[in-house]
């Protein structure tokens, strides 16, 4: 019995509590009420739900922005004759010239 809660479960009264008991008290009738250990399940689950909801919300916003942009481009190209193309500029390195001193 190393921990205080093990001592309390075994029926032992710690010295600091023993000093607080009034003299003449029957120790067989003393009940020591201890606080229940903290349960972290609720806060952990709440944190996971918030993170999952935030990620899902960001994915929905990204999808909606993509759909809106595509619809705007299609409407503009159909009505005004404006087209939008994506060009990837190729990056070619220039060959190194002669070294000058």
């Amino acid at each position: 019995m190393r921990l205080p809660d093990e001592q309390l479960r075994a029926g032992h009264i710690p010295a600091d509590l023993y000093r607080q008991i009034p003299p003449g008290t029957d120790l067989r009738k003393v009940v020591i009420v201890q606080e229940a250990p903290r349960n972290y399940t609720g806060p952990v689950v709440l944190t996971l739900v918030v993170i999952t909801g935030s990620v899902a919300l960001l994915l929905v916003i990204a999808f909606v922005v993509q759909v809106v942009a595509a619809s705007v481009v299609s409407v503009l190209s159909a009505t005004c004759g404006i087209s939008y193309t994506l060009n990837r500029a190729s990056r070619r390195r220039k060959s190194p010239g002669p070294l000058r001193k």
Side-chain angles (χ1 to χ4, degrees), residues 15-84:
D16 58 338
L17 292 177
Y18 186 74
R19 285 188 220 112
Q20 296 175 4
I21 297 174
T25 305
D26 186 10
L27 295 178
R28 292 174 293 174
K29 295 183 179 181
V30 172
V31 177
I32 298 173
V33 179
Q34 64 184 118
E35 192 175 331
R38 173 129 177 148
N39 187 358
Y40 291 99
T41 305
V44 168
V45 170
L46 179 65
T47 303
L48 291 175
V49 167
V50 167
I51 290 173
T52 305
S54 299
V55 169
L57 182 66
L58 289 175
L59 288 174
V60 168
I61 289 172
F63 180 73
V64 168
V65 167
Q66 180 183 3
V67 169
V68 168
S71 63
V72 166
V73 167
S74 65
V75 166
L76 286 177
S77 65
T79 57
C80 304
I82 299 174
S83 62
Y84 181 75

Side-chain angles (χ1 to χ4, degrees), residues 66 69-70 73 83-90:
Q66 180 183 3
V73 167
S83 62
Y84 181 75
T85 58
L86 295 174
N87 293 328
R88 288 183 55 185
S90 62

